[in-house]
Amino acid sequence: MMAGLLSTQYKSTLSKLKLLRNNPALSVLTSTQRKYSSKDGAGIEYLHRSVVPTMHYQKSLPRLPVPKLEDTIQRYLAAQRPLLNEEQYSNTEKVAQDFQSGVGKQLHEELVTLDKKNKHTSYISAPWFDMYLSARESVVLNFNPFMSFNPDPKPEYNDQLVRATNMVCSAMRFMKTLSAGLLEPEVFHLNPAKSDTDSFKRLIRWVPPSISWFGAYMVNAYPLDMSQYFRLFNSTRIPKYKRDELLTGDKGRHLLIIRRGNLYVFDVLDRDGNLIKSAEVQAHLKYILSDPTQAPSFPLGVLTSENRDTWAGLRQKLLDAGNGDALHLVDTALFCLCLDEEVMRDHIHISHNMLHGDGCNRWYDKSFSIILAKDGQAAINFEHSWGDGVAVLRFQNEVFKDTTEKPVVGPGSQPAAVDSSSAVCRIEFKLNEELKAGITKAKENFQAAVSKLTIDAMEFKKGGKEQLKKKKLSPDAIAQLAFQMGFLRQYGQMVATYESCSTAAFKHGRTETIRPATIHTKRCAEAFVEQPGQHTVEQLQGLLNECSKYHGQLTKEAAMGQGFDRHLFAMRYMANSKGMALPSFYQDPAYAAINHNILSTSTLTSPAVSLGGFAPVVPDGFGVGYGVHDEWIGCNVSSYPARNVHEFLKCVHKSLEDIFTVLDGKPIH
């Protein structure tokens, strides 16, 4: 009875959620809705001491719903409509209806039965892990995204050694706070005045975990899934033939540092699990930064950029050559800190460096790496299989807040007088000719891949979130419309578009896809781009309104687990795992086309983050990272040679100019 009530009330209220979105894992819940307390007296070991235990809500989180099959097919056909001509659509509609009444019905029923047997998780969790871990392409460009930190507001704290020391210490405070269960639970507050208060927290902590979610729901607060957090630390992806494995432990007390392609470790926790003194961290990092050892001719890190089967074979050869202990040190390290030699020139240089770098000063398989350039520019690059960025963004926000508000060292701080030469270990690898040849080949493959990538950025300064909200338009809908208009202006067509939306409001939720190319954006884009003189300003404003309303509906559906992409994916996965012949629905060229996402988009706004980015997901695509700020809109876009990213951004800028001109009540020409 209680479960039914939870489910019904949850679904009726969750539609109030505006945006629960993330980059191929990045969440955009704003800082005003997610306040993390940093109370005095938290002590040197912890960021804060949450009144409510970190995992208090986890047990009672609602389960990710399996959508109704008829709803999924209807949503799928609606998404296909703007991408197909009449004949293609007619054929796809028939194939979809046959699937719904035939083999699709059977697969759906089996999926629902399986889901009911596995109430501890979600129906998408295992297939989604499998998709990532079975992929054989390099994780570089294909999967790992980056999010760069804003500079420290105090310029003198952006010194590489100072900032590295502060970030390591804050990262360890985060880890300690998390493992002690003292990290504030991740909660989306619709009414912070009621739910984000000390009195509510003191009350809810006594509500049993089995029903605690319902208590939060009563005050319009939505706890989010935190099941991925344990993979942040001491975690790495291990290459294996056909399917990789995730290794996570809790025994490692050491940090992995890479500089000039050399790998170092030192303990940041003592034998009792306490943080070593910040002055000691500073001394050890200073020792590494001043180490005269030259860059190795055969840097091991570049192997993590290889095809996964190739890397699996070379890793086995490394083990056979007696490098087991060395690899174990890398795999079990708390996280990776990359100290780069370069000074960043501009945003484009930052994007290239943080997304892929030179291939040698990275270990791309670690759950995350903090990268610090010579000038203190910092970013996180993370491996994507274990999580979708919600945990990474929370970590980044906390580390930025802690390092800027409570830095443990400053420009005048003196490193401890300790013997770093005995505390710091430079990892030595035994390499034979076969391994050297493998590293040389990996370097060549890496260079060939990244040399094809172009990144460009754009800032539109004539309006942003504030202006759009005054007009009662969704800022995200308008940004997405500008991409549709931009692509139409450049290439004369509408194409498959992907926008990631987090389903972290559910137990073991991952992501769902918002499909921003709609019949409304097609109608609106054609009116603005192809027939600007044929519509009045009022008509164009009406079209903008329609786009905004429909995009808002799609966003709410996706956040509630009511998109179509994951449901169709799970049924296909089920058919495949049963050894069934692939149903004709999945062989329809239109299904392949809508999953060939030429525009892959993800949005992020956070006080800690200056920009984020990722590569296109298909060779003829764009990777669009964007943020809609109060007074301006920014895009950070990547492409391969098949597309012209510079021209695309000009077309997007022109589209935004036209939209804001119309919103000002003026005609466009």
Side-chain angles (χ1 to χ4, degrees), residues 458 486 489 645-655:
M458 176 215 80
R489 188 181 298 277
V645 67
H646 314 297
E647 191 62 33
F648 176 67
L649 283 173
K650 281 182 198 163
C651 292
V652 171
H653 196 279
K654 166 71 172 145
S655 302

Side-chain angles (χ1 to χ4, degrees), residues 151-166 282 372 374-377 403-404 407 409-413:
D152 192 299
K154 304 178 290 294
E156 65 275 19
Y157 280 77
N158 290 307
D159 171 82
Q160 188 180 27
L161 176 59
V162 170
R163 201 169 197 202
T165 306
N166 281 320
Q282 187 178 14
L372 261 160
K374 196 79 173 168
D375 55 358
Q377 288 283 353
T403 54
T404 53
V409 298
S413 302

Side-chain angles (χ1 to χ4, degrees), residues 450-518:
V450 301
S451 66
K452 293 180 185 141
L453 187 77
T454 304
I455 300 177
D456 200 2
M458 176 215 80
E459 291 184 356
F460 176 81
K461 297 287 197 179
K462 297 177 185 175
K465 196 186 294 179
E466 295 297 328
Q467 209 170 325
L468 293 170
K469 283 188 168 175
K470 278 179 193 159
K471 301 286 183 182
K472 296 190 167 60
L473 293 171
S474 153
D476 191 63
I478 296 305
Q480 287 288 345
L481 174 63
F483 305 144
Q484 297 298 318
M485 284 168 58
F487 197 91
L488 181 69
R489 188 181 298 277
Q490 187 178 6
Y491 294 105
Q493 66 178 127
M494 303 284 285
V495 289
T497 307
Y498 180 108
E499 180 182 3
S500 186
C501 178
S502 171
T503 50
F506 301 94
K507 184 180 288 186
H508 293 190
R510 295 287 309 230
T511 59
E512 184 51 90
T513 309
I514 300 167
R515 291 289 183 173
T518 69

Side-chain angles (χ1 to χ4, degrees), residues 76 80 84 88 91-92 95 584-596:
Y76 169 73
Q80 286 283 18
L84 304 173
Q88 290 167 330
N91 178 61
T92 291
V95 169
S584 54
F585 174 87
Y586 295 107
Q587 296 180 49
D588 179 10
Y591 180 82
I594 203 170
N595 285 291
H596 184 86

Side-chain angles (χ1 to χ4, degrees), residues 75-87:
R75 289 171 182 137
Y76 169 73
L77 289 172
Q80 286 283 18
R81 197 75 192 85
L83 305 177
L84 304 173
N85 63 31
E86 290 300 329
E87 185 185 343

Side-chain angles (χ1 to χ4, degrees), residues 373-645:
K374 196 79 173 168
D375 55 358
Q377 288 283 353
I380 288 178
N381 179 297
F382 66 97
E383 197 280 310
H384 215 326
S385 65
W386 65 271
D388 298 302
V390 176
V392 181
L393 182 63
R394 170 70 184 278
F395 170 76
Q396 188 158 2
N397 285 340
E398 293 279 13
V399 166
F400 183 76
K401 183 175 190 285
D402 197 50
T403 54
T404 53
E405 292 179 7
K406 299 177 183 173
V408 290
V409 298
S413 302
Q414 287 302 309
V418 290
D419 181 11
S420 292
S421 64
S422 60
V424 177
C425 166
R426 182 161 60 83
I427 305 176
E428 301 274 6
F429 290 91
K430 301 169 191 144
L431 302 178
N432 55 34
E433 292 309 309
E434 196 175 10
L435 285 164
K436 288 177 182 176
I439 292 170
T440 302
K441 184 65 178 162
K443 270 191 193 176
E444 290 168 9
N445 292 342
F446 176 86
Q447 284 306 328
V450 301
S451 66
K452 293 180 185 141
L453 187 77
T454 304
I455 300 177
D456 200 2
M458 176 215 80
E459 291 184 356
F460 176 81
K461 297 287 197 179
K462 297 177 185 175
K465 196 186 294 179
E466 295 297 328
Q467 209 170 325
L468 293 170
K469 283 188 168 175
K470 278 179 193 159
K471 301 286 183 182
K472 296 190 167 60
L473 293 171
S474 153
D476 191 63
I478 296 305
Q480 287 288 345
L481 174 63
F483 305 144
Q484 297 298 318
M485 284 168 58
F487 197 91
L488 181 69
R489 188 181 298 277
Q490 187 178 6
Y491 294 105
Q493 66 178 127
M494 303 284 285
V495 289
T497 307
Y498 180 108
E499 180 182 3
S500 186
C501 178
S502 171
T503 50
F506 301 94
K507 184 180 288 186
H508 293 190
R510 295 287 309 230
T511 59
E512 184 51 90
T513 309
I514 300 167
R515 291 289 183 173
T518 69
I519 49 168
H520 302 286
T521 60
K522 185 175 187 178
R523 201 176 294 142
C524 189
E526 286 172 349
F528 270 82
V529 175
E530 295 171 351
Q531 316 137 2
Q534 297 174 30
H535 301 267
T536 65
V537 168
E538 290 74 19
Q539 285 172 328
L540 292 173
Q541 288 174 343
L543 290 169
L544 291 173
N545 245 321
E546 286 299 310
C547 288
S548 178
K549 275 197 298 197
Y550 191 67
H551 187 79
Q553 178 192 327
L554 291 180
T555 301
K556 287 173 191 171
E557 286 174 356
M560 288 190 286
Q562 294 292 331
F564 66 82
D565 280 88
R566 299 299 175 266
H567 188 196
L568 291 177
F569 175 84
M571 287 192 288
R572 179 179 180 162
Y573 181 86
M574 174 161 273
N576 190 46
S577 62
K578 286 161 59 78
M580 284 173 61
L582 188 65
S584 54
F585 174 87
Y586 295 107
Q587 296 180 49
D588 179 10
Y591 180 82
I594 203 170
N595 285 291
H596 184 86
N597 290 299
I598 288 171
L599 286 172
S600 181
T601 72
S602 184
T603 183
L604 177 69
T605 49
S606 158
V609 178
S610 65
L611 74 161
F614 49 95
V617 296
V618 292
D620 58 339
F622 289 113
V624 184
Y626 66 101
V628 184
H629 305 272
D630 288 347
E631 306 296 337
W632 62 285
I633 298 168
C635 299
N636 196 36
V637 186
S638 61
S639 76
Y640 293 119
R643 300 285 178 193
N644 185 330
V645 67

Side-chain angles (χ1 to χ4, degrees), residues 174-293:
F174 180 96
M175 190 214 77
K176 293 277 293 177
T177 312
L178 172 66
S179 59
L182 296 173
L183 189 73
E184 285 268 322
E186 187 81 350
V187 178
F188 184 78
H189 297 281
L190 281 176
N191 187 357
K194 269 191 176 180
S195 58
D196 199 17
T197 64
D198 287 342
S199 57
F200 175 74
K201 288 171 187 171
R202 282 195 296 271
L203 177 68
I204 198 72
R205 71 169 296 173
W206 296 110
V207 175
S210 57
I211 57 169
S212 56
W213 175 87
F214 191 64
Y217 157 85
M218 298 297 279
V219 290
N220 249 351
Y222 295 89
L224 304 184
D225 180 75
M226 295 181 75
S227 62
Q228 296 169 6
Y229 278 59
F230 84 101
R231 294 239 187 239
L232 269 169
F233 299 97
N234 302 105
S235 197
T236 199
R237 176 172 173 160
I238 306 287
K240 299 276 186 179
Y241 280 120
K242 295 192 175 175
R243 187 184 189 276
D244 292 353
E245 290 174 5
L246 289 175
L247 175 79
T248 304
D250 55 5
K251 298 282 189 288
R253 294 184 278 120
H254 59 282
L255 182 65
L256 172 67
I257 305 95
I258 312 184
R259 176 173 172 262
R260 289 183 181 169
N262 292 302
L263 279 64
Y264 307 81
V265 291
F266 67 82
D267 285 354
V268 281
L269 300 174
D270 65 21
R271 291 186 182 282
D272 299 320
N274 300 314
L275 303 182
I276 66 170
K277 292 185 175 66
S278 54
E280 288 181 42
V281 174
Q282 187 178 14
H284 299 339
L285 290 176
K286 184 178 180 182
Y287 173 81
I288 291 169
L289 282 167
S290 57
D291 183 5
T293 305

